[in-house]
């Protein structure tokens, strides 16, 4: 109890520090006073506290750790050491990157050459205390324990400004470390004057080829400099992968030295131009004041009144976090580096941006931008279109001119469709549609299987269930874009264009319903498939490679494009409400893979990760809005706190915060391709949204409690549980009357329309994939459909064999089946059923990971080979042990060749065995060695590689064969997983006569 009280008062103090003088803040509209940049820097929030301006290129912030998941932003509140201050940082991501161009002041540090060929963590770091640290929008400061140097940061869009206050010292210095953080591919430093430097850093991490150029000026000439480099050295120019420089000064007590550092994605010349254009001298306070004014301008777009100090801090910090990224990615003259690696130029009316965490931000951040930032919405979409033109597809997760292809789906189409549905102009609708259609037709990431099967199977691609569901939602967005183009009379489409758009609309509406093909009516969950059949065993709580950072509980509700269709699958609103309540109330615990992203659990609802963010609002679709309001208020109150560990999961470039901003105002957009919102539980007495069109939309709350008693829009009763986007943009007022008790009779029934036309679900073909002599085959469909099938590999038609009951096969067979209803038919289910090529037995002496079973022991001799997709189901994975198996050939057999098939995916901790040993026996007890293979496969090979190792032996007759494959052991130091245990992946053991 004592510890709880201590924590309570600490939280209260933390909140009050950043929420003091609330009344005067409202009066002066200094909204920045509510912002606490330390929120999310602890726990798993992954934010940074440093200085930046809205959507700026520079994020100047301290670095307290070099890597690991909780160091993704470079800073973690639990640390007490600062290594330096770098110019770029990511806000809330789950992978480390950036932290480029690091400076660190010293009052008595060693020479630069001391650090050559040593890790960046060694040498110039300093202890610090949070009591000597401050942060506010556009400003950061800290007192370093080593030497007592006071460090301050502020920024413009493209320039970071650092001001260091030194003690009296004959040996003061400022280090510039171009080695810091990720792998350096090449770097350069030029000393261009007594106080001027420039250069670049090209590196590889999450972004495979990131280039940042810089130009910097010091407010004081350095007395001298010393540079250590492992490569080209000159008098004033250095090039290599290991550059560190110390600029030397003599300083008087409390003397300040200011450094301004401009960045450019293009060139040193561009960095110089940015420096000249955005700064004049070293007026730190002027820059700081301008940065704060810029933040107040952006934060003033939503004016909140009422609420507790903690709620106000939560709200404005959340709004602040939505405006840190995406980031400007062009010089002041419009030059930028495209996804094709070439230099392009845009104009001031359409800036270029980077850092698009779209799998996260399409859900709430981009819908928020459509309300408060229409202009930037068009700028983001124009950037998308340029990236499509330069890189061949719309962005998935773009970073610094690199497509990382992180996460799943092609969710940028949702952002574009949402803008089109809301009538936002400023980009070419037809060109945007062509880009979206192109992304939908690519043959990557399981998309080809999605189109062919109507779902993604385990053997097609990892995370098959999540990909199927997200591609279905993406398809709806493409369909909406086609629908909007067809309805736009200003486009003057030709008849041929209309016909093509109509056909494409119909096709994508069909694909938008492919989620039905992985819904298992018996369990009531979205369920993975393999070889045409449901995967067993199955547990909805299990976190597996069939899902993206989630399990079936969380993804079974991801059908934002067709809630009505999802409700129908559950048998109606009553059953659907029951299932939703079970999600929030189940006592079942997570199982399966360790997944750090799954946090903020209420039952199996996980607010700490994005797939859950819309789910509570689905209660509105099943006419149980009081359930939505109760759970939403619980989430708002319990999962957002004004403290470092105040976010329940990764901030994810504004998504976690955008959810709060919208939900705290009382509404949310479940499907960001349809231009309406549904209601939650408003927190504040009033909120005024100041729109770019000059109008204002006001939200007011009367009464107490979490439950909506009534709603009035512009003085008239609003009985529908939806708020049209056009109503917001027209300006006006909505008033929520609240109650402390649930109210069930205000809103009219929410009848979400079903997507049409419908079609029967793909059948399941239930049989063992590998059998010995014969196998029974059952074909099932959840609907009253006729099923026709073939056994010769041909496509089933109504003229094929009609399925009536299970049947037997006794040879390797390809079974195909389709379901037919009236004029519609399903896509084809396909199952390859294989008769075992041998009657051998396999005894495993090692234990495989339950995520990688490979079909059990017989999977090693069934003749079905694994692909480079390590989670396809064919591979057996062994960690922290050697692989050892014994084959019983049932009879003495002449053996001439032995071998095994193995996989290396070093990025995923999977390596080839270092050595493979073979021995034989007549009795299964006494074995003699007959050969071994030293694999000598390159340890650093990062490409997915399958390799069959075989060895010819002197012919021998034996009944038993033992195979031992030696594990790499501890993961090497150069790898991000250093120190953990490596995997061996094996599929197929070869015994040939």
């Amino acid at each position: 109890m004592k510890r709880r009280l201590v924590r309570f008062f600490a939280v209260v103090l933390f909140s009050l520090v950043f929420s003091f003088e609330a009344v005067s803040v409202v009066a002066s509209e200094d909204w920045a006073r509510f912002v606490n940049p330390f929120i999310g820097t602890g726990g798993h929030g992954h934010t940074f506290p440093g200085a930046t301006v809205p959507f700026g290129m520079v994020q100047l912030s301290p670095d307290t750790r070099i890597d690991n998941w909780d160091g993704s932003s470079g800073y973690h509140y639990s640390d007490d050491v600062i290594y330096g201050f770098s110019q770029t940082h990511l806000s809330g991501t789950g992978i480390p990157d950036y932290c480029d161009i690091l400076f660190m002041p010293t009052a008595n540090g060693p020479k630069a050459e001391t650090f050559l060929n040593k890790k960046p963590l060694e040498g110039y770091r300093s202890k610090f205390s949070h009591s000597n640290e401050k942060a506010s929008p556009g400003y950061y400061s800290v007192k370093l324990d080593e030497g007592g140097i006071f460090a301050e940061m502020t920024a413009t869009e493209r320039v970071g400004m650092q001001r260091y206050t030194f003690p009296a010292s004959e040996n003061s210095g400022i280090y510039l470390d171009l080695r810091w953080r990720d792998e350096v591919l090449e770097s350069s430093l030029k000393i261009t004057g007594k106080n001027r430097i420039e250069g670049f850093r090209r590196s590889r991490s999450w972004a495979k080829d990131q280039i940042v150029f810089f130009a910097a000026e010091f407010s004081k000439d350095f007395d001298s400099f010393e540079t250590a480099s492992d490569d080209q050295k000159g008098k004033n120019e250095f090039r290599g992968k290991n550059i560190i420089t110390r600029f030397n000064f003599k300083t008087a007590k409390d003397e300040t030295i200011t450094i301004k550092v401009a960045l450019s994605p293009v060139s040193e010349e561009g960095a110089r131009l940015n420096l000249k254009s955005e700064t004049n001298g070293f007026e730190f306070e002027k820059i700081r004041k301008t940065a704060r004014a810029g933040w107040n301008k952006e934060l003033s777009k939503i004016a909140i009144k009422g609420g507790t100090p903690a709620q106000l801090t939560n709200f404005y910090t959340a709004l602040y976090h939505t405006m840190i990224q995406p980031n400007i990615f062009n010089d002041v003259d419009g030059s930028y580096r495209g996804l094709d690696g070439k230099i392009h130029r845009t104009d001031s009316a359409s800036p270029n941006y980077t850092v698009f965490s779209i799998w996260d931000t399409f859900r709430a951040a981009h819908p928020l931008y459509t309300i408060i930032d229409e202009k930037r919405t068009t700028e983001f979409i124009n950037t998308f279109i340029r990236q499509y033109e330069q890189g061949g597809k719309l962005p998935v997760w773009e970073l610094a001119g690199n497509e990382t292809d992180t996460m799943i789906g092609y969710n940028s189409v949702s952002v574009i469709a949402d803008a089109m549905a809301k009538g936002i102009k400023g980009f070419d609708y037809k060109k945007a549609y062509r880009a979206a259609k192109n992304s939908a037709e690519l043959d990557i990431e399981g998309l080809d299987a999605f189109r062919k099967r109507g779902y993604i199977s385990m053997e097609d691609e990892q995370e098959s269930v999540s990909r199927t569901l997200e591609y279905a939602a993406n398809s709806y967005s493409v369909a909406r874009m086609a629908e909007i183009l067809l309805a736009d009379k200003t486009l003057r489409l030709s008849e041929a264009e209309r016909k093509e758009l109509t056909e494409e609309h119909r096709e994508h509406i069909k694909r938008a319903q492919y989620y039905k093909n992985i819904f298992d009516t018996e369990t009531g969950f979205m369920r993975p498939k393999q070889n045409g059949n449901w995967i067993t065993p199955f547990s909805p709580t299990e976190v597996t490679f069939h899902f993206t950072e989630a399990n079936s509980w969380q993804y079974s509700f991801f059908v934002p494009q067709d809630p009505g269709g999802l409700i129908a699958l559950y048998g109606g609103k009553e059953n659907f409400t029951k299932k939703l309540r079970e999600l929030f109330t189940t006592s079942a615990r997570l199982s399966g893979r360790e997944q750090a992203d799954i946090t903020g659990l209420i039952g199996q609802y996980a607010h700490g990760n994005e797939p859950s963010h819309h789910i509570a609002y689905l209660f509105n679709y099943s006419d149980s809005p009081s359930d939505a309001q109760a759970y939403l208020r619980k989430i708002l109150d319990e999962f957002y706190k004004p403290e470092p560990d105040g976010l329940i999961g990764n901030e994810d470039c504004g998504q976690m915060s955008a959810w709060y901003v919208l939900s705290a105002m009382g509404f949310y957009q479940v499907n960001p391709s349809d231009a309406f919102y549904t209601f939650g539980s408003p927190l504040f007495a009033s909120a005024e949204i100041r729109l770019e069109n000059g109008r204002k939309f006001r939200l007011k709350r009367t009464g107490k409690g979490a439950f909506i008693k009534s709603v009035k829009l512009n003085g008239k009763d609003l009985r529908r549980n939806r708020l049209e986007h056009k109503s917001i943009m027209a300006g006006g007022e909505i008033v929520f009357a609240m109650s402390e008790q649930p109210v069930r009779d205000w809103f009219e029934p929410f009848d979400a329309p079903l997507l049409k036309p419908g079609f029967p679900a793909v059948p399941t073909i239930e049989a063992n994939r590998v059998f010995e002599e014969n196998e029974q085959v059952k074909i099932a469909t959840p609907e009253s459909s006729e099923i026709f099938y073939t056994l010769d590999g041909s496509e089933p038609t109504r003229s094929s064999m009609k399925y009536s009951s299970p049947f037997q096969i006794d040879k390797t067979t390809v079974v195909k089946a389709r379901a037919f209803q009236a004029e519609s038919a399903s896509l084809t289910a396909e199952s390859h059923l294989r008769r075992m090529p041998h009657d051998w037995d396999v005894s495993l002496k090692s234990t495989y990971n339950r995520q990688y079973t490979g079909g059990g022991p017989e999977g090693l001799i069934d003749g079905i080979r694994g692909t480079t997709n390590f989670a396809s189901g064919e591979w057996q994975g062994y960690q922290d042990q050697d692989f050892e198996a014994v084959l019983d050939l049932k009879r003495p057999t002449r053996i001439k060749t032995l071998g095994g098939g193995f996989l290396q995916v070093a990025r995923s901790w999977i390596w080839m065995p270092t050595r493979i040993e073979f021995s034989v026996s007549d009795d299964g007890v006494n074995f003699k060695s007959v050969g071994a293979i030293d694999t000598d496969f390159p340890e650093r090979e990062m490409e997915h590689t399958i390799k069959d190792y075989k060895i010819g032996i002197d012919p021998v007759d034996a009944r038993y064969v033992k195979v031992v494959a030696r594990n790499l052991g501890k993961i090497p130091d150069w790898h991000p997983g250093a120190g953990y245990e490596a995997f061996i992946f094996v599929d197929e053991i070869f015994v040939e006569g």
Side-chain angles (χ1 to χ4, degrees):
M1 180 66 182
K2 184 177 179 182
R3 293 178 68 183
R4 290 182 182 176
L5 285 172
V6 169
R7 184 176 184 277
F8 170 78
F9 286 117
V11 170
V12 170
L13 179 61
F14 196 87
S15 174
L16 289 175
V17 167
F18 288 93
S19 305
F20 187 64
E21 298 181 5
V23 174
S24 64
V25 170
V26 173
S28 65
E29 294 206 337
D30 184 12
W31 307 107
R33 291 201 179 197
F34 286 123
V35 175
N36 176 4
F38 289 110
I39 292 176
T41 59
H44 300 316
H46 297 185
T47 63
F48 65 86
T52 188
V53 298
F55 306 99
M57 184 184 293
V58 168
Q59 308 85 36
L60 181 52
S61 191
D63 292 338
T64 65
R65 58 178 65 180
I66 194 168
D67 53 24
N68 84 27
W69 188 61
D70 276 333
S72 292
S73 75
Y75 178 98
H76 197 271
Y77 199 80
S78 63
D79 297 332
D80 63 357
V81 170
I82 287 176
Y83 296 100
F85 305 92
S86 58
Q87 314 302 307
T88 60
H89 294 81
L90 295 174
S91 179
T93 62
I95 300 179
D97 209 320
Y98 272 14
C99 299
D100 298 293
I101 322 298
L102 179 134
F103 288 85
M104 182 64 171
T106 179
N108 196 29
K111 292 176 180 279
E113 63 186 25
T114 305
F115 305 117
L116 191 62
N117 298 320
K118 291 185 178 181
K119 293 182 179 179
L121 290 180
E122 300 173 9
Y124 49 70
R125 62 187 180 180
S126 173
K127 288 269 192 178
F128 77 104
S129 170
H130 293 303
S131 62
N132 292 323
E133 189 181 30
K134 294 181 180 179
S136 59
Y139 177 77
Y140 170 86
S141 70
V142 65
K143 184 177 182 180
L144 302 174
D145 291 352
E146 306 299 326
I149 296 170
F150 185 56
E152 298 173 275
M153 315 284 142
T154 191
T156 67
E157 270 194 349
R158 298 171 179 85
V159 181
M161 187 170 282
Q162 308 158 62
R163 182 168 67 182
Y164 300 121
T165 303
F166 285 89
S169 173
E170 295 290 310
N171 192 33
S172 290
I174 297 174
Y175 295 101
L176 167 62
D177 194 343
L178 297 182
R179 311 164 306 159
W180 176 253
R181 185 76 160 186
D182 55 2
E183 179 187 356
V184 181
L185 299 176
E186 59 177 323
S187 61
S188 169
L189 174 64
K190 300 175 186 176
I191 312 300
T192 58
K194 274 289 188 179
N195 71 331
R196 297 192 308 277
I197 60 174
E198 62 186 44
F200 73 89
R201 186 176 189 274
R202 181 168 167 252
S203 62
R204 174 170 57 201
S205 182
W206 188 8
K208 300 307 176 194
D209 189 6
Q210 186 213 348
I211 306 175
V212 56
F213 296 87
F214 67 94
E217 290 185 12
F218 296 76
S219 62
K220 178 180 181 178
D221 292 353
F222 35 85
D223 298 327
S224 62
F225 68 90
E226 54 199 49
T227 298
S229 173
D230 61 353
D231 200 346
Q232 177 183 330
K233 298 181 180 180
K235 183 177 180 181
N236 292 309
E237 186 170 348
F238 308 88
R239 201 175 188 96
K241 297 182 180 181
N242 197 10
I243 298 175
I244 181 169
T245 296
R246 188 187 197 274
F247 299 96
N248 302 313
F249 303 88
K250 296 180 180 66
T251 56
K253 183 181 179 182
D254 295 333
E255 182 178 356
T256 62
I257 298 175
T258 302
I259 314 169
K260 52 183 182 179
V261 184
L263 302 184
S264 166
V266 175
S267 63
E268 286 104 334
E269 181 183 11
R272 291 197 301 271
L273 178 63
N274 294 339
L275 188 67
K276 181 179 180 180
S277 300
E278 294 192 356
T279 62
N280 182 18
F282 295 88
E283 298 175 310
F284 186 94
E285 293 301 331
K286 180 180 179 181
I287 298 292
R288 175 184 176 182
K289 184 177 180 181
T290 301
R292 190 178 184 90
W295 276 112
N296 272 319
K297 178 183 177 182
E298 295 296 326
L299 295 171
S300 70
K301 291 178 177 179
I302 305 177
I304 294 294
K305 292 183 181 179
T308 66
Q311 288 172 335
L312 287 167
T313 297
N314 284 338
F315 184 88
Y316 279 103
T317 305
L319 191 58
Y320 166 83
H321 279 145
T322 69
M323 297 170 174
I324 291 178
Q325 65 296 292
N327 304 118
I328 287 288
F329 197 63
N330 61 263
D331 293 338
V332 292
D333 67 354
S335 300
Y336 69 94
R337 187 175 301 275
L339 259 70
D340 55 5
K342 299 177 182 178
I343 304 304
H344 303 267
R345 181 168 291 190
T346 184
D347 57 53
S348 59
S350 186
N352 197 61
Y353 289 85
T354 188
V355 186
F356 287 107
S357 181
I358 303 175
W359 183 80
D360 306 290
T361 56
F362 87 90
R363 305 165 197 265
H366 282 285
L368 175 63
Y369 301 145
T370 66
I371 299 171
I372 65 172
D373 220 331
E374 288 184 287
K375 182 176 182 293
R376 281 199 181 91
T377 294
T378 65
E379 293 171 358
F380 297 156
I381 292 172
N382 280 320
T383 299
F384 291 177
I385 294 171
R386 287 191 288 267
Q387 291 176 350
Y388 154 68
E389 292 172 336
Q390 297 157 9
K393 64 179 182 180
L394 288 167
V396 176
W397 213 125
E398 183 275 341
L399 171 61
N402 291 251
E403 178 51 73
T404 69
D405 284 313
T406 304
M407 306 312 294
I408 64 172
Y410 51 102
N411 292 296
S412 46
V413 298
S414 174
V415 178
I416 301 171
D418 193 37
M420 291 173 65
K422 292 171 178 174
I424 295 175
K425 304 297 183 181
F427 61 95
D428 188 325
Y429 278 23
K430 292 175 73 174
K431 186 181 289 188
Y433 176 73
R434 287 196 300 271
K437 187 174 68 169
N438 173 77
S439 289
E441 300 305 324
L442 293 172
D443 287 338
I444 59 172
E445 308 289 339
L447 259 173
D448 50 343
F450 174 78
R451 295 189 297 266
K452 175 186 174 184
R453 300 184 194 276
Y455 66 94
I456 299 172
S457 188
M458 179 182 184
E459 61 268 30
D460 298 324
E461 189 64 53
Q462 295 180 39
E463 304 169 9
S464 58
V465 174
S466 297
R467 289 181 192 275
T468 298
L469 293 168
E470 296 217 14
Y471 287 151
N474 297 157
S475 295
Y476 179 81
S477 296
V478 178
R480 282 287 285 140
M481 293 170 72
E483 179 183 346
I484 292 164
L485 289 178
L486 285 166
D488 190 338
K489 296 180 180 179
T490 66
L491 293 178
R492 299 179 181 178
L493 300 170
S494 68
E495 284 303 311
E497 287 177 313
R498 286 191 168 278
K499 182 179 179 182
E500 183 179 13
L501 280 169
T502 300
E503 291 173 353
E504 289 167 352
H505 176 265
R506 185 183 299 114
E507 172 62 21
H508 282 284
I509 284 294
K510 182 179 179 181
R511 293 183 197 177
Q513 298 175 74
Y514 282 176
Y515 68 88
K516 299 174 183 177
N517 294 325
I518 56 169
F519 183 80
D520 178 14
T521 55
E522 289 190 12
T523 63
F525 289 96
M526 301 293 176
R527 185 172 173 184
K529 286 182 173 180
Q530 182 184 35
N531 197 41
N533 194 6
W534 301 117
I535 290 177
T536 54
F538 165 73
S539 169
T541 64
E542 188 173 16
V543 180
T544 70
F545 277 107
H546 309 308
F547 301 92
T548 302
E549 299 178 359
N551 61 19
S552 187
W553 262 118
Q554 288 132 31
Y555 256 105
S556 289
F557 297 98
F558 188 76
V559 188
Q561 75 278 14
D562 191 19
L566 182 62
I567 290 169
L569 287 182
Y570 279 104
K573 291 182 177 180
E574 184 177 346
N575 288 343
F576 186 67
T577 299
K578 182 179 178 182
K579 193 72 173 183
L580 275 174
R581 287 173 179 162
E582 187 183 356
L583 167 74
F584 284 94
T585 59
T586 180
S587 60
R589 294 180 176 271
L590 291 173
S591 60
R593 292 177 59 222
E594 180 69 27
Q595 182 65 62
D597 293 278
I598 304 176
T599 55
L601 290 168
I602 306 175
Q604 283 289 308
Y605 173 89
H607 192 72
N609 211 19
E610 280 67 23
S612 289
H613 277 190
H614 71 292
I615 295 178
Y617 287 93
L618 293 178
F619 279 113
N620 290 331
Y621 289 80
S622 63
D623 298 337
S624 186
S626 59
D627 283 289
Q629 294 152 21
Y631 285 117
L632 289 166
R633 184 60 69 89
K634 179 179 177 69
I635 296 165
L636 286 164
D637 289 345
E638 296 182 10
F639 290 161
Y640 294 84
K641 303 288 185 183
E643 54 187 284
D645 192 7
L647 297 178
I648 205 66
N650 295 170
E651 166 59 21
D652 284 317
C653 294
Q655 170 57 29
M656 190 70 67
S657 289
W659 186 96
Y660 186 90
V661 170
L662 291 170
S663 295
M665 291 192 293
F667 60 91
Y668 191 84
Q669 189 173 2
V670 168
N671 183 35
S673 291
D674 291 328
F676 69 88
Y677 311 85
T678 184
F679 296 122
S681 181
L683 279 184
F684 298 103
S686 71
E688 181 179 85
I689 303 174
R690 298 163 179 179
L691 303 166
E692 285 182 357
N693 61 18
R695 301 186 181 102
K696 296 178 181 179
F697 185 76
R698 297 179 178 87
L699 302 99
K700 292 186 177 179
R701 189 197 68 191
T702 63
K704 297 180 179 180
F707 302 100
I708 293 176
K709 182 165 61 177
S710 66
V711 184
K712 290 184 182 293
L713 177 62
N714 297 326
K716 297 181 180 179
D717 286 351
L718 182 60
R719 305 303 293 259
R720 299 181 73 193
N721 196 332
R722 57 188 282 170
L723 174 63
E724 303 293 335
H725 180 78
K726 62 185 179 183
S727 296
I728 295 176
M729 304 315 288
E733 182 178 82
I734 190 167
V735 179
F736 300 96
M738 306 302 291
S739 167
E740 294 182 347
Q741 300 299 321
V743 176
R744 306 187 187 280
D745 59 356
W746 175 258
F747 290 114
E748 297 171 350
F750 199 133
D751 292 323
L754 301 174
L755 295 185
K756 294 179 180 180
F759 53 85
V762 174
T764 54
I765 302 173
E766 300 175 11
N768 289 313
R769 192 177 184 185
V770 180
F771 61 93
E772 293 184 357
E773 294 184 0
N774 54 62
E775 179 69 10
Q776 177 175 279
V777 181
K778 178 183 177 183
I779 307 176
T781 179
E783 303 157 306
S784 56
S785 306
E786 291 185 310
I787 300 174
F788 292 86
Y789 70 98
T790 64
L791 303 178
D792 60 2
S794 61
E795 283 296 303
T797 67
R798 290 183 184 271
S799 301
S800 303
M801 292 180 286
K802 185 175 181 179
Y803 178 80
S804 58
S805 62
F807 56 88
Q808 297 274 333
I809 59 172
D810 59 6
K811 62 182 179 181
T812 297
T813 305
V814 177
V815 181
K816 292 187 175 182
R818 295 176 72 194
F820 291 84
Q821 283 180 354
E823 299 301 318
S824 64
S826 73
L827 292 178
T828 301
E830 183 174 329
S831 182
H832 294 250
L833 305 176
R834 184 179 181 87
R835 182 167 175 166
M836 283 290 289
H838 308 285
D839 62 351
W840 304 342
D841 287 335
V842 180
S843 175
L844 295 176
K845 305 303 181 183
S846 311
T847 302
Y848 52 72
N849 185 297
R850 71 186 304 266
Q851 297 287 333
Y852 315 108
T853 67
E858 286 71 29
L860 296 174
I861 55 171
D862 60 10
I864 302 173
R865 299 304 309 277
T867 67
T868 53
N869 172 13
F870 68 86
S872 64
E874 285 85 17
W875 292 98
Q876 276 185 9
Y878 296 84
Q879 187 181 29
D880 193 21
Q881 59 188 304
D882 296 329
F883 164 73
E884 183 175 346
V886 174
L887 275 63
D888 180 357
L889 310 181
K890 296 295 181 72
R891 61 194 65 83
T893 303
R894 175 53 60 103
I895 304 169
K896 296 181 180 179
T897 303
L898 293 168
F902 297 88
L903 174 69
Q904 180 157 316
V905 187
R907 188 169 285 106
S908 298
W909 300 14
I910 304 166
W911 272 270
M912 294 291 177
T914 58
R915 180 179 171 86
I916 310 167
E917 301 163 358
F918 303 95
S919 55
V920 298
S921 171
D922 295 325
D923 58 8
V925 177
N926 301 296
F927 285 85
K928 81 173 175 180
S929 175
V930 293
I933 302 171
D934 292 316
T935 60
D936 294 325
F937 194 82
E939 193 179 273
R940 290 177 177 262
E941 176 56 63
M942 302 302 283
E943 291 298 317
H944 293 42
T945 306
I946 297 171
K947 192 168 179 62
D948 291 345
Y949 291 97
K950 293 185 179 182
I951 185 171
I953 64 171
D954 293 335
V956 62
D957 292 325
R959 174 173 172 174
Y960 299 92
V961 174
K962 180 189 289 186
V963 182
V964 178
R966 301 297 179 185
N967 196 305
L968 178 69
K970 295 288 185 184
I971 295 176
D973 286 344
W974 57 266
H975 192 277
Y980 289 94
E981 300 291 340
F983 276 94
I984 283 178
F985 269 49
V986 56
D987 180 39
E988 217 62 23
I989 297 173
F990 309 116
V991 180
E992 300 171 1

